[in-house]
Amino acid sequence: MFKKLSLLAAAGGACLCMQARAQLSDDVVKIGVLTDMAGVTADITGKGSVVAAQMAVEEFGGKVMGKPVQLIYGDHQHRTDLGASMARQWYDRDQVDVIVDIPNSSIALAVQRIAMSSKKLVLISGAGTTALTNDQCSPYGFHWTYDTYAMAHGTASAVVANGGKSWFILASDYAFGAQLARDTSEVVVSEGGKILGSVKHPLNVADFASFLLQAQSSGAQVIGIANAGNDTINAIKQAGEFGITQGGQSLAAMILMINDVHSLGLDKAQGTYLTTSSYWDMNDKTRAWSKTFMERTGAMPSMLQAGVYGSVLHYLKAVDKAGSDDAGKVAAAMRAMPINDAFTDGARIREDGRVLRDMYLAKVKTPAASRYPWDYFEIVRKIPLDQTVMPLSESTCRLVAKQG
């Protein structure tokens, strides 16, 4: 059901060992990467998420308080029942202290509920639904990298401002796609645009013909693609085959990763706006980290994989600061410390569990503008924080103190 990677280091002095024995529940810190190893989001999570977690453990030194850090990983296969079963086993039988990644919002919501009942931590990078920090928030849950609110407000606002006023939404038929479609529609309307129609498609569908024909016949200026991974790639490829963009309609991918652009090619993806929380080519730190990642995986990191790295590193710092692997104490330490890693400077965790971080509006380069391998994004601008997170005044999270 899952694989195990041990990252062990010799303990320090005798006093440190005695202290760690007293404060770590089972003499080891165990991290579970629950991910998609072969499905629709495998390229943007999967093996890369496991490697990213490994790199965080190595960066921290391979041990906490003189005790080893152990990493395990498993494939949820986009099945909520399987993902939930694995989480219960990891928390309750295998003594996993924290689960990370979890691409698929339905599974992430289920795991967060299990984590709360087990009083264990969950750090979600791969899933996007705002329910994780809204009506289904948890004191043990942290939403790390992005959410549908951020992606919709970043990308849809830019496209509407650029003249794309009428939209048709093509969305995947599960929690993530439904939420992203709702958020996108709200942004388009609030910015003065209109929604002419929408359609939902099954997860990991091969043939988008009927869905794209509906979008084409709507006459909308913009077709908003509210899905992820291979579904996004296939939808954009088939839209080109149907001559949709040649006919004057534009595509707006509401979530698009660098790996998706690599699969599509710049000729098909060029000019597409997107919102991202990280990019490998931002500065010397991101380039150095990403070079090592590339050597191990053969690809540059998606923002989701970079998020897994950051979440694991911050967790280990918090365990060390708390002097314990007790979930409540570690959660408090995580909230108290600023988040700093190769991709993040001075982010923080809000009371609802949402990480407040910089987000960027990017545009896919033309083939002529790309100077070297994986030189795919032009960073257009940093998006103000108040445009990328749901205001607490709109929150239904019970952890949020209400005013008045």
Side-chain angles (χ1 to χ4, degrees), residues 96-141:
V96 168
D97 297 293
V98 60
I99 295 176
V100 303
D101 197 13
I102 322 181
N104 187 300
S105 290
S106 299
I107 298 173
L109 288 166
V111 172
Q112 182 159 281
R113 288 192 292 270
I114 294 165
M116 185 161 59
S117 65
S118 299
K119 293 184 169 55
K120 295 289 185 75
L121 295 181
V122 57
L123 314 179
I124 297 162
S125 180
T129 179
T130 54
L132 288 161
T133 54
N134 202 36
D135 59 298
Q136 298 190 50
C137 68
S138 164
Y140 300 100

Short mmCIF file of all heavy atoms in Angstrom, two decimals, residues 96-141:
data_model
loop_
_atom_site.label_atom_id
_atom_site.label_comp_id
_atom_site.label_asym_id
_atom_site.label_seq_id
_atom_site.Cartn_x
_atom_site.Cartn_y
_atom_site.Cartn_z
N VAL A 96 2.34 7.65 12.06
CA VAL A 96 2.74 8.78 11.23
C VAL A 96 2.33 10.07 11.94
O VAL A 96 1.21 10.19 12.42
CB VAL A 96 2.09 8.68 9.83
CG1 VAL A 96 2.24 9.99 9.06
CG2 VAL A 96 2.71 7.53 9.05
N ASP A 97 3.25 11.02 12.01
CA ASP A 97 2.99 12.27 12.72
C ASP A 97 2.29 13.30 11.86
O ASP A 97 1.51 14.11 12.36
CB ASP A 97 4.31 12.85 13.24
CG ASP A 97 4.99 11.96 14.25
OD1 ASP A 97 4.43 11.80 15.35
OD2 ASP A 97 6.06 11.41 13.94
N VAL A 98 2.59 13.31 10.56
CA VAL A 98 2.02 14.32 9.67
C VAL A 98 1.91 13.72 8.27
O VAL A 98 2.77 12.98 7.82
CB VAL A 98 2.88 15.60 9.65
CG1 VAL A 98 4.30 15.32 9.18
CG2 VAL A 98 2.25 16.70 8.81
N ILE A 99 0.80 14.05 7.58
CA ILE A 99 0.60 13.67 6.18
C ILE A 99 0.68 14.94 5.34
O ILE A 99 0.11 15.98 5.72
CB ILE A 99 -0.74 12.95 5.98
CG1 ILE A 99 -0.74 11.61 6.72
CG2 ILE A 99 -1.03 12.73 4.49
CD1 ILE A 99 -2.05 10.86 6.65
N VAL A 100 1.37 14.84 4.19
CA VAL A 100 1.56 16.02 3.34
C VAL A 100 1.14 15.72 1.90
O VAL A 100 0.97 14.57 1.50
CB VAL A 100 3.03 16.48 3.37
CG1 VAL A 100 3.47 16.79 4.80
CG2 VAL A 100 3.97 15.44 2.75
N ASP A 101 0.99 16.79 1.13
CA ASP A 101 0.67 16.81 -0.30
C ASP A 101 -0.82 16.65 -0.57
O ASP A 101 -1.57 17.60 -0.55
CB ASP A 101 1.49 15.77 -1.08
CG ASP A 101 1.47 16.07 -2.59
OD1 ASP A 101 1.06 17.17 -2.98
OD2 ASP A 101 1.88 15.19 -3.37
N ILE A 102 -1.33 15.48 -0.87
CA ILE A 102 -2.73 15.13 -1.10
C ILE A 102 -3.37 15.89 -2.26
O ILE A 102 -4.28 16.70 -2.08
CB ILE A 102 -3.60 15.30 0.17
CG1 ILE A 102 -2.84 14.89 1.43
CG2 ILE A 102 -4.88 14.47 0.03
CD1 ILE A 102 -3.65 15.02 2.70
N PRO A 103 -2.90 15.64 -3.50
CA PRO A 103 -3.61 16.20 -4.65
C PRO A 103 -4.96 15.51 -4.83
O PRO A 103 -5.02 14.31 -4.98
CB PRO A 103 -2.67 15.86 -5.82
CG PRO A 103 -1.91 14.65 -5.37
CD PRO A 103 -1.76 14.80 -3.89
N ASN A 104 -6.01 16.24 -4.77
CA ASN A 104 -7.42 15.82 -4.89
C ASN A 104 -8.16 16.36 -3.68
O ASN A 104 -7.95 15.93 -2.54
CB ASN A 104 -7.58 14.30 -4.97
CG ASN A 104 -9.03 13.90 -5.27
OD1 ASN A 104 -9.93 14.22 -4.50
ND2 ASN A 104 -9.26 13.20 -6.37
N SER A 105 -9.04 17.31 -3.95
CA SER A 105 -9.71 18.02 -2.85
C SER A 105 -10.64 17.13 -2.04
O SER A 105 -10.74 17.27 -0.82
CB SER A 105 -10.49 19.21 -3.41
OG SER A 105 -9.61 20.22 -3.85
N SER A 106 -11.33 16.20 -2.69
CA SER A 106 -12.23 15.31 -1.96
C SER A 106 -11.45 14.46 -0.96
O SER A 106 -11.87 14.28 0.19
CB SER A 106 -12.99 14.41 -2.93
OG SER A 106 -13.78 15.17 -3.82
N ILE A 107 -10.29 13.95 -1.40
CA ILE A 107 -9.46 13.14 -0.50
C ILE A 107 -8.86 14.01 0.59
O ILE A 107 -8.81 13.62 1.76
CB ILE A 107 -8.36 12.42 -1.30
CG1 ILE A 107 -8.99 11.47 -2.32
CG2 ILE A 107 -7.43 11.64 -0.37
CD1 ILE A 107 -8.00 10.84 -3.28
N ALA A 108 -8.41 15.21 0.24
CA ALA A 108 -7.82 16.11 1.24
C ALA A 108 -8.82 16.44 2.34
O ALA A 108 -8.47 16.48 3.53
CB ALA A 108 -7.32 17.38 0.57
N LEU A 109 -10.07 16.70 1.97
CA LEU A 109 -11.09 16.99 2.98
C LEU A 109 -11.32 15.79 3.89
O LEU A 109 -11.45 15.94 5.11
CB LEU A 109 -12.40 17.40 2.29
CG LEU A 109 -12.40 18.77 1.63
CD1 LEU A 109 -13.61 18.93 0.71
CD2 LEU A 109 -12.38 19.89 2.67
N ALA A 110 -11.34 14.60 3.31
CA ALA A 110 -11.52 13.38 4.12
C ALA A 110 -10.35 13.18 5.06
O ALA A 110 -10.54 12.86 6.25
CB ALA A 110 -11.68 12.17 3.20
N VAL A 111 -9.13 13.36 4.57
CA VAL A 111 -7.95 13.17 5.41
C VAL A 111 -7.89 14.22 6.51
O VAL A 111 -7.52 13.92 7.66
CB VAL A 111 -6.67 13.20 4.55
CG1 VAL A 111 -5.42 13.20 5.44
CG2 VAL A 111 -6.63 12.02 3.59
N GLN A 112 -8.29 15.44 6.20
CA GLN A 112 -8.28 16.48 7.24
C GLN A 112 -9.25 16.14 8.36
O GLN A 112 -8.96 16.39 9.54
CB GLN A 112 -8.59 17.85 6.63
CG GLN A 112 -8.54 18.98 7.65
CD GLN A 112 -8.35 20.35 7.02
OE1 GLN A 112 -7.25 20.72 6.65
NE2 GLN A 112 -9.43 21.10 6.89
N ARG A 113 -10.39 15.57 8.02
CA ARG A 113 -11.33 15.16 9.08
C ARG A 113 -10.73 14.04 9.93
O ARG A 113 -10.88 14.03 11.16
CB ARG A 113 -12.65 14.70 8.44
CG ARG A 113 -13.49 15.82 7.85
CD ARG A 113 -14.89 15.37 7.49
NE ARG A 113 -14.90 14.43 6.37
CZ ARG A 113 -14.99 14.80 5.09
NH1 ARG A 113 -15.07 16.08 4.77
NH2 ARG A 113 -15.02 13.89 4.13
N ILE A 114 -10.05 13.09 9.28
CA ILE A 114 -9.42 11.99 10.02
C ILE A 114 -8.29 12.53 10.90
O ILE A 114 -8.13 12.11 12.05
CB ILE A 114 -8.90 10.93 9.03
CG1 ILE A 114 -10.07 10.26 8.32
CG2 ILE A 114 -8.04 9.89 9.75
CD1 ILE A 114 -9.66 9.47 7.09
N ALA A 115 -7.52 13.47 10.37
CA ALA A 115 -6.42 14.06 11.13
C ALA A 115 -6.95 14.75 12.39
O ALA A 115 -6.35 14.65 13.47
CB ALA A 115 -5.66 15.06 10.27
N MET A 116 -8.08 15.42 12.26
CA MET A 116 -8.63 16.11 13.42
C MET A 116 -9.09 15.11 14.48
O MET A 116 -8.83 15.29 15.67
CB MET A 116 -9.80 17.01 12.99
CG MET A 116 -10.36 17.86 14.14
SD MET A 116 -11.33 19.28 13.59
CE MET A 116 -12.61 18.46 12.65
N SER A 117 -9.74 14.03 14.06
CA SER A 117 -10.20 13.04 15.04
C SER A 117 -9.04 12.29 15.66
O SER A 117 -9.10 11.88 16.82
CB SER A 117 -11.16 12.05 14.37
OG SER A 117 -10.50 11.27 13.39
N SER A 118 -7.93 12.14 14.92
CA SER A 118 -6.75 11.44 15.43
C SER A 118 -5.79 12.39 16.15
O SER A 118 -4.78 11.94 16.70
CB SER A 118 -6.00 10.75 14.29
OG SER A 118 -6.81 9.79 13.66
N LYS A 119 -6.10 13.69 16.10
CA LYS A 119 -5.21 14.71 16.67
C LYS A 119 -3.79 14.59 16.09
O LYS A 119 -2.79 14.57 16.80
CB LYS A 119 -5.18 14.64 18.21
CG LYS A 119 -6.51 15.03 18.86
CD LYS A 119 -6.42 15.03 20.38
CE LYS A 119 -7.65 15.67 21.01
NZ LYS A 119 -8.92 15.06 20.60
N LYS A 120 -3.77 14.54 14.75
CA LYS A 120 -2.52 14.52 14.01
C LYS A 120 -2.56 15.65 12.97
O LYS A 120 -3.62 16.19 12.65
CB LYS A 120 -2.33 13.18 13.29
CG LYS A 120 -2.16 11.98 14.21
CD LYS A 120 -0.82 12.01 14.93
CE LYS A 120 -0.57 10.76 15.76
NZ LYS A 120 -0.22 9.59 14.93
N LEU A 121 -1.40 15.99 12.42
CA LEU A 121 -1.30 17.12 11.51
C LEU A 121 -1.41 16.70 10.05
O LEU A 121 -1.03 15.58 9.68
CB LEU A 121 0.02 17.86 11.73
CG LEU A 121 0.20 18.54 13.09
CD1 LEU A 121 1.54 19.25 13.15
CD2 LEU A 121 -0.93 19.52 13.37
N VAL A 122 -1.91 17.62 9.23
CA VAL A 122 -1.96 17.41 7.78
C VAL A 122 -1.60 18.74 7.12
O VAL A 122 -2.12 19.80 7.48
CB VAL A 122 -3.35 16.90 7.32
CG1 VAL A 122 -4.47 17.84 7.74
CG2 VAL A 122 -3.37 16.68 5.82
N LEU A 123 -0.65 18.69 6.17
CA LEU A 123 -0.16 19.87 5.45
C LEU A 123 -0.46 19.67 3.97
O LEU A 123 0.18 18.86 3.31
CB LEU A 123 1.35 20.05 5.66
CG LEU A 123 1.87 19.90 7.09
CD1 LEU A 123 3.39 20.09 7.12
CD2 LEU A 123 1.19 20.88 8.02
N ILE A 124 -1.44 20.40 3.45
CA ILE A 124 -1.99 20.12 2.13
C ILE A 124 -1.40 21.10 1.11
O ILE A 124 -1.61 22.31 1.20
CB ILE A 124 -3.52 20.22 2.17
CG1 ILE A 124 -4.07 19.14 3.12
CG2 ILE A 124 -4.10 20.04 0.77
CD1 ILE A 124 -5.46 19.38 3.59
N SER A 125 -0.69 20.54 0.15
CA SER A 125 -0.13 21.35 -0.94
C SER A 125 -0.85 21.11 -2.25
O SER A 125 -1.03 22.03 -3.04
CB SER A 125 1.36 21.04 -1.11
OG SER A 125 1.91 21.81 -2.17
N GLY A 126 -1.27 19.87 -2.51
CA GLY A 126 -1.79 19.51 -3.82
C GLY A 126 -3.25 19.86 -4.07
O GLY A 126 -3.64 20.07 -5.21
N ALA A 127 -4.07 19.89 -3.02
CA ALA A 127 -5.50 20.16 -3.19
C ALA A 127 -5.78 21.65 -3.16
O ALA A 127 -5.02 22.42 -2.57
CB ALA A 127 -6.29 19.45 -2.10
N GLY A 128 -6.90 22.07 -3.76
CA GLY A 128 -7.15 23.49 -3.90
C GLY A 128 -8.42 24.04 -3.29
O GLY A 128 -8.59 25.26 -3.22
N THR A 129 -9.35 23.20 -2.83
CA THR A 129 -10.63 23.73 -2.39
C THR A 129 -10.50 24.65 -1.18
O THR A 129 -9.77 24.35 -0.22
CB THR A 129 -11.63 22.60 -2.08
OG1 THR A 129 -12.86 23.19 -1.63
CG2 THR A 129 -11.10 21.67 -1.00
N THR A 130 -11.24 25.75 -1.20
CA THR A 130 -11.22 26.69 -0.07
C THR A 130 -11.95 26.13 1.15
O THR A 130 -11.81 26.68 2.25
CB THR A 130 -11.87 28.02 -0.47
OG1 THR A 130 -13.19 27.77 -0.99
CG2 THR A 130 -11.05 28.74 -1.52
N ALA A 131 -12.70 25.04 0.98
CA ALA A 131 -13.39 24.45 2.13
C ALA A 131 -12.40 24.00 3.21
O ALA A 131 -12.75 23.93 4.39
CB ALA A 131 -14.23 23.26 1.68
N LEU A 132 -11.17 23.72 2.83
CA LEU A 132 -10.16 23.25 3.78
C LEU A 132 -9.88 24.28 4.87
O LEU A 132 -9.54 23.92 6.00
CB LEU A 132 -8.85 22.92 3.05
CG LEU A 132 -8.89 21.65 2.19
CD1 LEU A 132 -7.77 21.65 1.17
CD2 LEU A 132 -8.83 20.41 3.08
N THR A 133 -10.01 25.56 4.54
CA THR A 133 -9.80 26.60 5.56
C THR A 133 -11.06 27.44 5.78
O THR A 133 -11.00 28.49 6.42
CB THR A 133 -8.64 27.53 5.15
OG1 THR A 133 -8.88 28.05 3.83
CG2 THR A 133 -7.32 26.79 5.15
N ASN A 134 -12.17 26.96 5.27
CA ASN A 134 -13.43 27.68 5.45
C ASN A 134 -14.37 26.83 6.30
O ASN A 134 -14.12 26.62 7.48
CB ASN A 134 -14.02 28.04 4.09
CG ASN A 134 -15.00 29.20 4.16
OD1 ASN A 134 -14.81 30.13 4.93
ND2 ASN A 134 -16.03 29.15 3.35
N ASP A 135 -15.44 26.30 5.75
CA ASP A 135 -16.42 25.61 6.58
C ASP A 135 -15.91 24.28 7.14
O ASP A 135 -16.46 23.78 8.12
CB ASP A 135 -17.71 25.38 5.78
CG ASP A 135 -17.49 24.55 4.53
OD1 ASP A 135 -16.75 25.01 3.65
OD2 ASP A 135 -18.06 23.45 4.42
N GLN A 136 -14.85 23.71 6.55
CA GLN A 136 -14.31 22.44 7.07
C GLN A 136 -12.90 22.61 7.63
O GLN A 136 -12.11 21.68 7.63
CB GLN A 136 -14.33 21.37 5.97
CG GLN A 136 -15.74 21.05 5.49
CD GLN A 136 -15.79 19.83 4.59
OE1 GLN A 136 -15.25 18.78 4.91
NE2 GLN A 136 -16.44 19.97 3.45
N CYS A 137 -12.60 23.78 8.13
CA CYS A 137 -11.27 24.06 8.68
C CYS A 137 -11.00 23.20 9.92
O CYS A 137 -11.91 22.67 10.55
CB CYS A 137 -11.12 25.54 9.01
SG CYS A 137 -12.15 26.09 10.41
N SER A 138 -9.71 23.09 10.26
CA SER A 138 -9.31 22.26 11.39
C SER A 138 -8.09 22.88 12.07
O SER A 138 -7.20 23.41 11.38
CB SER A 138 -8.95 20.85 10.91
OG SER A 138 -8.22 20.15 11.89
N PRO A 139 -7.99 22.80 13.39
CA PRO A 139 -6.78 23.29 14.07
C PRO A 139 -5.55 22.48 13.73
O PRO A 139 -4.43 22.92 13.97
CB PRO A 139 -7.14 23.17 15.56
CG PRO A 139 -8.21 22.12 15.61
CD PRO A 139 -8.99 22.29 14.35
N TYR A 140 -5.75 21.30 13.15
CA TYR A 140 -4.62 20.44 12.78
C TYR A 140 -4.32 20.46 11.28
O TYR A 140 -3.43 19.76 10.82
CB TYR A 140 -4.91 19.00 13.20
CG TYR A 140 -5.12 18.85 14.68
CD1 TYR A 140 -6.41 18.77 15.22
CD2 TYR A 140 -4.05 18.80 15.56
CE1 TYR A 140 -6.61 18.64 16.59
CE2 TYR A 140 -4.23 18.66 16.93
CZ TYR A 140 -5.52 18.58 17.44
OH TYR A 140 -5.70 18.46 18.79
N GLY A 141 -5.06 21.28 10.52
CA GLY A 141 -4.90 21.32 9.07
C GLY A 141 -4.31 22.63 8.58
O GLY A 141 -4.69 23.71 9.06
#
